[in-house]
């Protein structure tokens, strides 16, 4: 009774096979054609359209934050990073999905070589190039169970038909599923990306707040510079009249003229600073540069006791700082990897059951062409004990994981101590700014009163140019200092909100 001949490639490829290979290579060469770099954004898209002169409603800080978040490419990119990690987690879980594959082989070349025993007959040779089809199904379950099934169907020109069906069941009892480790790490990578996304969002909000404050601060200082310049123009005009009348000497007139030029230079610098601040905010809001940008002045801040609680700030900072989050993930990965390595050092105990069913039907090509049916059944408990090379390698990897975890624990302790000092210094600087703001208000009131007295004396001609210029500059400098300290306080509060958010739970 003839057996199914073994498969092996023919020595000479037939014409259909050569045509198929040529087609595959042609398609492959087209797919790997040279690609060009993507084009850069146009200058018009980057710089914005022409300014719109229509009146805008004044925008407060909350409205500016809402608009900036909606159009920010940084926040969009951070969200896409999270989406990518979610896709990677899905990719791990997909490995538990069943895999079904159908393969059609055409042409499939078989050479048959047979000789019947006990008969003085020449060797029989036969070749077929008819197609064949195979179907396979693989399934891996989270319980470390594997299932596989395969079906093979061959058809020859002479009608020789062969069917084979195989089933395999395998169950591991001791070692953990390797996909468990991948899924566990992928979940914590999503947590790390969400922590990074929250850090990017807080940093972006701080940039918007800082830009918003800078515009209003620059506008207020510009108004002060304009008033100072207008006042100097008035002093110069009055001094020229007094000089022509012989009331003051020329050096006094030169003092006022020089001081007026200094104010003019300061005015130019303040306008440029205002325009730069507006450009920064316009970029964050993605509105055309140069467009009118009316903003509402923020009220004087009220310090939230909960926001500035030292214990809460330390806990929040430790949970939200990206560097600490990365170390915490590393420690988690160390523990998971070490657990998996220890488990892999155990013997593998696997139950495996196999069943194969096959049948062949002949058509008279051979002298004996009787139908053949058969089945193979097997079951076994497979015990594998790792020894020598792989074992030593795993013990070394386990030692490395333990060293890495010790390093990470040391770094966490150092960062905790650093955060305690940072929180203390932050609160000390906040108290400093609050005290300086209160003092600056008193100085501004005193300077304003002194300036009013000097102006009266100037009109009477009983004050010198040096004293008049000094009291005038001290008054406007006191105004600028108070404005600067007010917005420094707002920025410091914004920094605390960025570094120590009130919701200090781990991002989920």
């Amino acid at each position: 009774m003839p057996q199914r001949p073994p498969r092996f490639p023919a020595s000479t490829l037939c014409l259909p096979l050569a045509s198929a290979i040529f087609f595959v290579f042609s398609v492959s060469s087209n797919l790997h054609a040279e690609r060009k770099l993507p084009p850069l954004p146009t200058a018009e898209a980057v710089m914005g359209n022409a300014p719109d002169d229509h009146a805008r409603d004044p925008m407060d800080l909350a409205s500016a934050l809402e608009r900036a978040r909606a159009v920010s490419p940084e926040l969009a990119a951070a969200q896409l990073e999270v989406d990518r990690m979610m896709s990677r987690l899905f990719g791990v879980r997909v490995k538990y999905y069943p895999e079904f594959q159908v393969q059609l082989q055409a042409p499939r070349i078989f050479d048959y070589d047979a000789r019947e025993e006990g008969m003085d007959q020449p060797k029989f040779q036969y070749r077929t190039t008819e197609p064949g089809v195979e179907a396979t199904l693989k399934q891996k379950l989270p319980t470390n169970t594997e299932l596989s099934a395969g079906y093979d169907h061959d058809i020859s020109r002479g009608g020789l038909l062969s069917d084979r069906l195989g089933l395999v069941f395998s169950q591991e009892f001791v070692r953990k599923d390797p996909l468990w480790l991948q899924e566990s790490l992928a979940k914590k990578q999503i947590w790390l990306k969400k922590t990074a996304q929250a850090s990017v969002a807080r940093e972006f909000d701080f940039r918007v707040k800082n830009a918003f404050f800078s515009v209003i601060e620059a506008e207020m200082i510009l108004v002060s510079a304009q008033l100072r310049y207008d006042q100097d123009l008035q002093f110069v005009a009055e001094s020229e009249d007094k000089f022509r009348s012989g009331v003051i000497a020329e050096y006094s007139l030169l003092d006022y003229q020089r001081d007026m030029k200094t104010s003019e230079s300061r005015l130019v610098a303040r306008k440029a600073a205002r325009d730069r601040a507006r450009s920064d905010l316009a970029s964050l809001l993605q509105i055309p540069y140069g467009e009118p940008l009316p903003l509402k002045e923020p009220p004087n801040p009220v310090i939230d006791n909960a926001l500035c609680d030292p214990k809460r700030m330390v806990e929040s900072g430790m949970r939200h700082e990206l560097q600490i989050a990365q170390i915490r993930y590393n420690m988690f990965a160390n523990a998971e990897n070490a657990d998996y390595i220890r488990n892999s050092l155990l013997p593998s105990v696997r139950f495996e059951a196999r069943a194969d069913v096959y049948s062949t039907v002949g058509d008279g090509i051979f002298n004996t062409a009787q139908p053949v049916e058969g089945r193979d059944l097997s079951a076994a408990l497979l015990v594998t004990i790792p020894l020598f090379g792989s074992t030593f390698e795993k013990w070394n990897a386990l030692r490395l994981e333990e060293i890495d975890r010790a390093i990470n624990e040391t770094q966490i302790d150092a960062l905790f101590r650093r955060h305690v000092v940072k929180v203390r210094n932050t609160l000390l600087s906040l108290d400093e700014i609050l005290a300086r703001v209160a003092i600056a208000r008193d100085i501004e009131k005193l300077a304003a009163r002194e300036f009013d007295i000097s102006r009266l004396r100037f009109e009477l001609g009983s004050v010198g140019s040096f004293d008049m210029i000094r009291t005038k500059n001290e008054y406007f400098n006191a105004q600028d200092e108070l404005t600067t300290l007010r917005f420094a306080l707002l920025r410091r509060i914004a920094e605390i909100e960025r570094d120590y958010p009130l919701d200090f739970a781990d991002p989920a």
Side-chain angles (χ1 to χ4, degrees):
M1 180 175 57
Q3 298 295 325
R4 184 178 182 276
R7 304 181 185 180
F8 58 91
S11 59
T12 305
L13 294 177
C14 60
L15 181 60
L17 182 59
S19 301
I21 294 177
F22 175 77
F23 173 75
V24 171
F25 274 103
S26 300
V27 173
S28 177
S29 62
N30 291 332
L31 291 176
H32 291 81
E34 183 180 359
R35 299 182 185 274
K36 296 181 179 179
L37 291 172
L40 291 171
T42 63
E44 180 180 3
V46 175
M47 298 301 294
N49 300 321
D52 187 2
D53 294 332
H54 74 281
R56 280 182 176 270
D57 294 332
M59 182 181 299
D60 59 7
L61 179 58
S63 301
L65 283 171
E66 181 180 2
R67 175 178 174 82
R69 291 168 184 164
V71 299
S72 170
E74 299 174 34
L75 299 185
Q79 179 58 49
L80 290 175
E81 289 284 346
V82 174
D83 294 342
R84 181 169 62 178
M85 296 309 304
M86 294 289 290
S87 298
R88 288 184 178 177
L89 175 60
F90 178 74
V92 175
R93 292 173 174 171
V94 162
K95 295 179 181 180
Y96 289 117
Y97 289 7
E99 179 183 355
F100 183 73
Q101 178 177 321
V102 178
Q103 181 177 1
L104 179 64
Q105 301 177 8
R108 182 165 61 171
I109 301 174
F110 293 147
D111 277 359
Y112 295 82
D113 189 346
R115 176 179 292 170
E116 295 187 17
E117 296 181 359
M119 301 182 66
D120 188 14
Q121 292 188 2
K123 185 178 181 180
F124 178 81
Q125 293 181 338
Y126 182 76
R127 170 174 290 184
T128 175
T129 59
E130 294 300 320
V133 62
E134 294 181 2
T136 58
L137 174 65
K138 295 181 179 180
Q139 171 71 67
K140 182 173 180 60
L141 301 176
T143 56
N144 217 358
T145 303
E146 295 182 2
L147 301 172
S148 62
Y151 173 74
D152 192 318
H153 180 72
D154 297 335
I155 303 176
S156 67
R157 183 182 304 171
L160 181 66
L161 180 142
S162 175
D163 289 295
R164 287 172 302 282
L165 176 63
L167 299 174
V168 179
F169 169 83
S170 177
Q171 174 66 61
E172 170 66 50
F173 293 106
V174 177
R175 294 189 177 182
K176 293 183 178 180
D177 184 0
L179 295 185
W180 155 81
L181 177 63
Q182 298 180 28
E183 182 177 12
S184 179
L185 295 179
K187 288 180 179 178
K188 281 300 178 288
Q189 285 177 346
I190 293 175
W191 166 82
L192 182 60
K193 282 297 180 182
K194 287 186 176 181
T195 302
Q197 180 192 26
S199 178
V200 170
R202 293 196 305 273
E203 179 64 31
F204 181 78
D205 285 354
F206 174 75
R207 286 174 53 195
V208 175
K209 292 178 182 179
N210 188 42
F212 186 90
F213 296 151
S214 295
V215 172
I216 299 179
E217 178 185 7
E219 288 177 345
M220 294 177 67
I221 293 179
L222 175 60
V223 170
S224 176
Q226 183 67 55
L227 292 175
R228 181 188 297 200
Y229 179 68
D230 294 341
Q231 183 66 78
D232 288 338
L233 287 177
Q234 181 180 350
F235 281 152
V236 168
E238 295 177 1
S239 299
E240 289 176 348
D241 292 340
K242 291 180 179 180
F243 173 71
R244 285 192 295 267
S245 301
V247 176
I248 62 175
E250 184 178 3
Y251 70 86
S252 296
L253 175 61
L254 294 176
D255 286 340
Y256 290 115
Q257 290 175 340
R258 184 185 67 253
D259 189 58
M260 183 268 295
K261 285 299 181 181
T262 302
S263 295
E264 185 178 4
S265 176
R266 182 183 295 105
L267 182 61
V268 172
R270 297 291 188 262
K271 286 182 178 179
R274 189 273 314 271
D275 293 340
R276 287 193 297 268
R278 283 185 173 180
S279 296
D280 291 341
L281 184 59
S283 177
L284 292 171
L285 300 180
Q286 292 193 19
I287 61 177
Y289 300 128
E291 183 173 322
L293 192 62
L295 303 177
K296 291 182 180 179
E297 181 180 347
N300 292 326
V302 178
I303 305 300
D304 188 351
N305 293 330
L307 180 66
C308 297
D309 178 62
K311 181 179 177 181
R312 186 210 66 83
M313 291 174 65
V314 172
E315 292 178 353
S316 179
M318 292 291 291
R319 291 182 180 274
H320 287 88
E321 183 173 318
L322 188 56
Q323 181 184 4
I324 296 178
Q326 180 66 62
I327 295 177
R328 292 178 68 193
Y329 168 78
N330 293 341
M331 295 174 64
F332 173 83
N334 293 147
E336 295 292 277
N337 291 334
D339 188 24
Y340 181 78
I341 293 173
R342 292 190 192 96
N343 184 258
S344 66
L345 288 169
L346 298 174
S348 172
V349 180
R350 177 182 295 271
F351 173 77
E352 185 174 283
R354 182 184 298 270
D356 292 284
V357 180
Y358 58 88
S359 65
T360 62
V361 177
D363 63 348
I365 293 179
F366 304 108
N367 292 334
T368 58
Q370 298 300 324
V372 176
E373 295 183 356
R375 64 178 181 270
D376 298 329
L377 302 177
S378 65
L381 189 65
L382 308 178
V383 179
T384 304
I385 301 176
L387 296 173
F388 301 109
S390 62
T391 304
F392 296 141
E393 182 181 355
K394 290 177 181 178
W395 276 114
N396 186 63
L398 181 60
R399 176 60 178 164
L400 292 176
E401 292 291 345
E402 292 174 350
I403 293 175
D404 289 342
R405 180 173 180 84
I407 293 173
N408 291 325
E409 289 175 350
T410 304
Q411 291 178 339
I412 283 289
D413 183 69
L415 288 173
F416 172 77
R417 298 177 184 278
R418 186 188 307 173
H419 259 281
V420 172
V421 176
K422 181 181 177 182
V423 167
R424 178 173 174 79
N425 291 339
T426 298
L427 294 178
L428 288 175
S429 64
L430 181 63
D431 293 339
E432 174 193 357
I433 296 175
L434 286 170
R436 292 182 62 191
V437 168
I439 295 172
R441 287 197 178 96
D442 295 337
I443 293 176
E444 192 270 340
K445 293 178 182 177
L446 295 173
R449 178 57 181 162
E450 184 181 10
F451 181 49
D452 290 339
I453 295 174
S454 296
R455 273 200 52 82
L456 294 175
R457 295 179 63 193
F458 175 79
E459 293 173 359
L460 298 175
S462 60
V463 65
S465 59
F466 177 80
D467 289 335
M468 183 69 252
I469 293 173
R470 177 187 60 80
T471 55
K472 182 263 301 181
N473 287 337
E474 286 180 352
Y475 166 69
F476 286 105
N477 289 341
Q479 281 191 333
D480 293 347
E481 178 71 8
L482 178 59
T483 300
T484 300
L485 287 173
R486 282 184 56 205
F487 284 94
L489 178 59
L490 290 170
R491 290 189 180 92
R492 183 48 52 90
I493 295 175
E495 289 176 359
I496 295 175
E497 293 172 345
R498 176 195 63 186
D499 298 335
Y500 314 102
L502 283 170
D503 181 15
F504 57 81
D506 286 335

